[in-house]
């Protein structure tokens, strides 16, 4: 076994751990905050589903360079790729740990992109960077929260109009709750096809996965609600219905997150593995299953060790988030992520979710949002790539000098 | 990522409702004091009037707490100014109750004609009804927000506000009747008794006035 490969695996594992620690709260926060699940349950669900997503649905062929942000053909020396991968992973991990310490919701995808860009520029100058890609990434920072906010605003307005603004809220809740939950499952089914099975054709996803799943869920929910409406008070009843729906939506977010983001940690590892076993590497390399397992395990361990603490604070602090609000946020975010994947935009779930929260706030649906935190969040988004790049560049220089 | 814990701030509505609960306790205690006064049980009235004073202090403290927690850095479903002004108005209801308690305590009244006592008691009951409705109004406001400002919930809120405003006219009628009665029977009363009665009545009707102001602010919260 190549000693560098061992080092990379270790660093890759720590990156996976940081992803789990940092993003655990994302998928589960609305469910825990709205008291749909306890922090303990959240950790178990997130851990299991993140691992399942990563191991069973993570891409078996992975990009060595995330999102083709730099051109690997310009790297002639395989050692550079090894040092660079280690530098990028270390830098991204460090930045994630720092951000987590300060409670900033930074994107793991963007951290690793920053890391890769950092060593790329040091090695071959700015021309190695695929600037069109980079522009798309920067655009996604600006667009994804805004679109998330707009969609959540509209969904929340339509949602309340369809249920609470009727003459007989209980009756409309009976019809409309299953409709909204079914619609969410159309999105979930389609997302499953695209993000988890890595399908390419949106139409196939909607027709073969989304709509059938949505109809089945609609039917089940409709009959359950018909049988026994949880309460004579429409509010309490509707909240109770969506409490159950939230468990599934948040679980789904965890699964998709594992399937999608595990590549951030294992892409560079796979690159080094390819160098160690085959001597050189291209844009895409096959990933052995054990590396996927390692990534999934790392994420699960991150969720279990650090994520638990985060969930506990979330559970204690967010009491103001109701189940319908949580559902609206999850549903809107999932929809935006789906559309973005279809368009091939490098979008960050974190950013969309935060945008969605703000959107519901603008629709007068959230009782109080902290504006300061929103400002911090936006700042942290803009500094992620440069900071990760600078850290990565320094580590890369040191490794080149030593190596 | 502790961002989730910081992103959502505590909403002011639960504390507002808590404050309203204390305000209700204050006016209810005053109501009991007034009944004791009507029955001529001065000792019992004194105890209760002192309790009114204590409860008003508690309300003040909760008000301070809410004020401190409502920084301008929050994005809320209702404007921060509206919440703060409403809180101020709601607190005034308790202040008004304390005023009445003060007047009740100022002297041990001599025999006051039953007819007059009855009118004062009626005024008290009506006025305190308005104060109790304020509590219902703020609880309903919470529901209005919960429903995403749905028309039907706003409708219910308006009903409560109308009821509070309705108390006003009834109190006005009683007020006039009381003044007339006091002057009709001025021979039976000393100058001090008259001053005493009219001021107890004035402060009592003031409670419903303040309740109406608070209701007015709730109306403003909804029309954004």
């Amino acid at each position: 076994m190549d000693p560098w490969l061992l080092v990379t695996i270790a660093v890759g594992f720590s990156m996976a751990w940081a992803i789990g620690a940092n993003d655990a709260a994302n998928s589960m926060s609305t469910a825990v905050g709205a008291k749909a699940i306890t922090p303990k349950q959240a950790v178990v669900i997130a851990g299991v589903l993140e691992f399942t997503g990563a191991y069973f649905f993570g891409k078996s062929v992975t990009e060595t360079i995330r999102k083709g942000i730099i051109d690997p053909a310009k790297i002639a020396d395989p050692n550079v790729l090894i040092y660079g991968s280690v530098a990028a992973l270390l830098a991204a991990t460090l930045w994630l740990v720092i951000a987590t310490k300060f409670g900033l919701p930074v994107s793991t995808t963007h951290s690793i992109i920053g890391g890769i860009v950092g060593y790329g520029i040091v090695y071959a100058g700015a021309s190695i960077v695929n600037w069109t890609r980079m522009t798309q990434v920067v655009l996604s920072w600006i667009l994804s929260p805004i679109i998330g906010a707009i969609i959540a605003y509209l969904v929340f307005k339509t949602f309340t109009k369809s249920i609470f603004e009727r003459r007989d809220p209980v009756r409309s809740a009976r019809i409309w709750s299953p409709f909204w939950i079914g619609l969410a499952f159309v999105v979930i089914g389609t997302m499953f096809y695209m993000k988890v099975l890595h399908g390419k054709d949106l139409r196939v996803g909607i027709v073969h996965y989304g709509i059938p799943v949505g109809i089945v869920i609609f039917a089940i929910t409709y009959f359950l609600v018909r049988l026994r409406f949880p309460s004579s008070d429409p509010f309490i009843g509707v909240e109770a219905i969506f409490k159950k729906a939230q468990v599934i939506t948040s679980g789904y977010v965890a699964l998709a997150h594992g399937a999608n983001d595990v590549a951030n940690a294992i892409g560079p590892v796979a690159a080094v593995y390819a160098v160690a076993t085959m001597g050189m590497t291209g844009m895409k390399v096959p990933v052995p299953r054990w590396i996927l397992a390692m990534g999934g395990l790392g994420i699960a361990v991150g969720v279990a060790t650090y994520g638990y603490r985060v969930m506990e604070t979330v559970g204690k602090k967010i009491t103001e988030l109701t189940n319908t609000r949580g559902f609206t946020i999850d549903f809107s975010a999932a929809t935006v992520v789906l559309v973005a994947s279809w368009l091939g935009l490098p979008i960050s779930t974190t950013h969309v979710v935060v945008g969605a929260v703000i959107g519901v706030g603008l629709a007068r649906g959230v009782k109080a949002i902290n504006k300061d935190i929103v400002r911090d969040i936006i700042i942290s988004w803009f500094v992620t790539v440069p900071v990760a790049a600078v850290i990565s560049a320094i580590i890369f220089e040191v490794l080149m000098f030593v190596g | 990522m502790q961002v989730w814990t910081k992103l959502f701030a505590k909403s002011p509505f639960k504390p507002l409702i808590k404050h309203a609960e204390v305000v209700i306790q204050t006016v209810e205690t005053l109501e009991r004091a007034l009944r004791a006064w009507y029955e001529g049980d001065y000792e019992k009235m004194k105890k209760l009037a002192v309790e009114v004073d204590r409860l008003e202090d508690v309300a003040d403290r909760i008000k301070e707490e809410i004020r401190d927690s409502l920084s301008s850095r929050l994005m809320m479903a209702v404007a921060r100014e509206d919440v703060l002004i409403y809180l101020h108005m709601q607190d005034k209801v308790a202040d008004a109750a304390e005023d009445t308690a003060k007047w009740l305590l100022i002297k041990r009244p001599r025999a006051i004609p039953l007819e007059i006592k009855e009118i004062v008691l009626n005024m008290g009951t009506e006025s305190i009804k308005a104060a109790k409705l304020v509590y219902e109004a703020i609880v309903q406001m919470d529901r209005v927000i919960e429903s995403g400002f749905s028309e039907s919930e706003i409708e219910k809120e308006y009903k409560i506000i109308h009821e509070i405003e309705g108390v006003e006219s009834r109190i006005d009628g009683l007020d006039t009747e009381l003044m007339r009665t006091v002057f009709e029977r001025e021979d039976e009363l000393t100058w001090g008794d008259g001053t005493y009665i009219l001021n107890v009545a004035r402060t009592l009707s003031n409670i419903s006035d303040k309740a109406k102001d608070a209701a007015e602010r709730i109306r403003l919260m909804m029309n954004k």
Side-chain angles (χ1 to χ4, degrees):
Chain A
M1 190 88 142
D2 188 322
W4 274 110
L5 182 59
L6 278 178
V7 170
T8 321
I9 288 170
V11 183
F13 188 84
S14 66
M15 173 70 183
W17 177 88
I19 293 173
N22 211 1
D23 287 355
N26 282 2
S27 54
M28 293 286 151
S29 57
T30 54
V32 175
K35 300 273 183 285
I37 44 177
T38 65
K40 271 208 178 79
Q41 290 170 323
V43 168
V44 173
I45 295 171
V48 170
L49 290 176
E50 293 267 2
F51 180 83
T52 311
Y55 184 71
F56 292 99
F57 302 107
K59 280 188 179 149
S60 53
V61 173
T62 189
E63 302 163 306
T64 47
I65 306 294
R66 196 72 165 119
K67 303 283 177 204
I69 205 80
I70 63 171
D71 181 3
K74 285 212 168 86
I75 303 176
D77 180 359
N79 276 338
V80 168
L81 196 64
I82 292 175
Y83 297 152
S85 297
V86 172
L89 280 173
L90 258 182
T93 310
L94 268 176
W95 173 235
L96 283 176
V97 169
I98 293 165
T100 306
K101 199 123 201 80
F102 287 101
L104 302 171
V106 301
S107 153
T108 46
T109 309
H110 292 177
S111 306
I112 198 77
I113 285 176
I116 293 167
V117 166
Y119 85 78
I121 290 180
V122 168
Y123 173 69
S127 64
I128 197 175
V129 179
N130 181 340
W131 288 107
T132 337
R133 278 282 182 183
M134 200 62 211
T135 317
Q136 277 187 354
V137 171
V138 173
L139 270 181
S140 86
W141 296 337
I142 299 161
L143 286 179
S144 59
I146 291 176
I147 294 168
I150 293 169
I151 299 287
Y153 180 93
L154 294 174
V155 168
F156 183 74
K157 281 276 185 221
T158 331
F159 183 92
T160 48
K161 271 211 164 37
S162 71
I163 294 181
F164 295 137
E165 301 223 353
R166 295 294 148 133
R167 241 169 240 291
D168 183 357
V170 176
R171 219 185 115 239
S172 50
R174 281 209 175 117
I175 299 159
W176 285 98
S177 306
F179 169 80
W180 283 104
I181 293 170
L183 195 61
F185 274 89
V186 172
V187 176
I188 287 178
T190 314
M191 285 278 281
F192 186 82
Y193 166 78
M194 292 185 71
K195 285 257 159 188
V196 179
L197 304 176
H198 305 289
K200 283 280 170 284
D201 190 347
L202 183 73
R203 229 164 42 92
V204 171
I206 293 175
V207 175
H208 289 259
Y209 288 85
I211 292 176
V213 172
I215 290 172
V216 168
I217 296 289
F218 171 83
I220 293 171
T221 324
Y222 183 77
F223 281 114
L224 283 179
V225 172
R226 275 233 78 115
L227 270 167
R228 203 177 57 83
F229 194 72
S231 161
S232 57
D233 181 316
F235 288 87
I236 297 168
V238 171
E239 291 300 337
I241 293 170
F242 281 95
K243 201 174 204 158
K244 296 191 178 70
Q246 259 203 292
V247 180
I248 299 166
T249 44
S250 57
Y252 163 73
V253 175
L255 184 76
H257 176 259
N260 221 35
D261 282 26
V262 73
N264 289 330
I266 65 165
V269 178
V272 175
Y273 175 81
V275 172
T277 52
M278 299 180 287
M280 198 49 220
T281 169
M283 195 63 201
K284 290 204 160 144
V285 292
V287 190
R289 296 224 65 92
W290 61 266
I291 292 189
L292 272 174
M294 180 213 74
L297 193 67
I299 293 179
V301 170
V303 171
T305 49
Y306 194 88
Y308 180 63
R309 274 203 356 236
V310 178
M311 307 273 199
E312 270 206 309
T313 15
V314 167
K316 279 205 192 78
K317 287 243 180 96
I318 318 182
T319 47
E320 306 293 345
L321 198 65
T322 57
N323 299 103
T324 45
R325 266 62 161 182
F327 177 85
T328 306
I329 291 164
D330 286 343
F331 173 68
S332 315
T335 311
V336 174
V337 171
L338 171 71
V339 174
S341 337
W342 175 57
L343 296 171
L345 295 169
I347 200 164
S348 158
T349 315
T350 313
H351 296 188
V352 182
V353 171
V354 172
V357 171
I358 293 164
V360 175
L362 290 172
R364 299 180 88 181
V366 173
K367 285 182 181 168
I369 294 178
N370 213 331
K371 285 185 204 155
D372 282 11
I373 301 298
V374 174
R375 196 200 53 216
D376 289 352
I377 291 168
I378 291 168
I379 291 171
S380 73
W381 290 351
F382 280 92
V383 299
T384 293
V385 171
V387 170
V390 169
I391 301 175
S392 162
I394 294 167
I395 297 172
F396 179 71
E397 283 285 15
V398 170
L399 287 176
M400 286 296 269
F401 183 74
V402 174
Chain B
M1 182 167 334
Q2 302 89 324
V3 66
W4 291 106
T5 57
K6 292 192 221 146
L7 191 61
F8 295 94
K10 268 206 142 6
S11 106
F13 279 85
K14 297 279 178 289
L16 274 180
I17 291 171
K18 200 173 144 52
H19 181 262
E21 276 168 10
V22 177
V23 172
I24 273 212
Q25 280 177 354
T26 315
V27 294
E28 277 177 343
T29 312
L30 178 71
E31 196 171 19
R32 291 213 302 280
L34 200 63
R35 195 156 285 284
W37 172 83
Y38 174 77
E39 288 157 0
D41 185 346
Y42 189 73
E43 287 314 312
K44 187 176 166 192
M45 183 208 88
K46 205 168 158 179
K47 255 205 220 72
L48 288 165
V50 170
E51 177 68 4
V52 170
D53 190 37
R54 193 191 63 85
L55 283 166
E56 195 275 329
D57 270 353
V58 175
D60 266 348
R61 268 206 306 280
I62 297 176
K63 179 184 73 178
E64 299 296 329
E65 267 172 44
I66 299 176
R67 268 193 194 156
D68 293 345
S69 67
L70 270 187
S71 75
S72 55
R73 297 188 301 264
L74 296 182
M75 169 176 156
M76 292 191 295
V78 288
R80 168 172 172 261
E81 293 75 21
D82 286 348
V83 174
L84 286 174
I85 296 171
Y86 169 78
L87 174 65
H88 179 71
M89 300 291 181
Q90 188 172 268
D91 198 61
K92 279 261 185 264
V93 175
D95 287 349
E98 191 204 16
D99 270 352
T100 308
K102 257 196 221 141
W103 272 101
L104 287 176
L105 285 170
I106 206 90
K107 70 187 276 256
R108 184 186 280 273
R110 297 174 317 116
I112 293 173
L114 192 65
E115 185 189 7
I116 290 177
K117 269 190 170 180
E118 236 152 37
I119 301 171
V120 171
L121 184 68
N122 274 342
M123 279 179 79
T125 318
E126 278 298 330
S127 197
I128 283 161
K129 215 182 277 169
K132 287 179 183 165
L133 281 170
V134 169
Y135 173 77
E136 272 178 46
I138 194 68
V139 170
Q140 178 58 26
M141 186 65 209
D142 196 40
R143 277 191 76 112
V144 167
I145 295 176
E146 211 56 53
S147 68
F149 290 77
S150 97
E151 288 304 327
S152 57
E153 293 300 325
I154 289 180
E155 211 50 57
K156 285 183 200 158
E157 181 69 289
Y158 275 137
K159 264 208 197 82
I160 299 170
I161 293 174
H162 283 315
E163 259 181 86
I164 295 173
E165 286 164 344
V167 169
E168 193 59 25
S169 56
R170 284 202 292 279
I171 294 257
D172 277 350
L174 287 168
D175 207 17
T176 320
E177 189 187 344
L178 178 75
M179 285 195 273
R180 240 201 353 259
T181 317
V182 168
F183 285 104
E184 270 169 11
R185 310 181 61 157
E186 60 188 323
D187 305 344
E188 301 162 46
L189 302 165
T190 63
W191 171 87
D193 289 339
T195 309
Y196 174 79
I197 292 162
L198 289 176
N199 272 301
V200 167
R202 167 133 317 142
T203 50
L204 276 175
S205 68
N206 199 19
I207 295 175
S208 67
D209 254 1
K210 296 299 178 230
K212 198 184 63 160
D213 290 346
E216 197 51 50
R217 296 311 303 191
I218 291 187
R219 199 193 278 270
L220 285 175
M221 273 190 220
M222 291 190 298
N223 301 342
K224 267 280 166 341

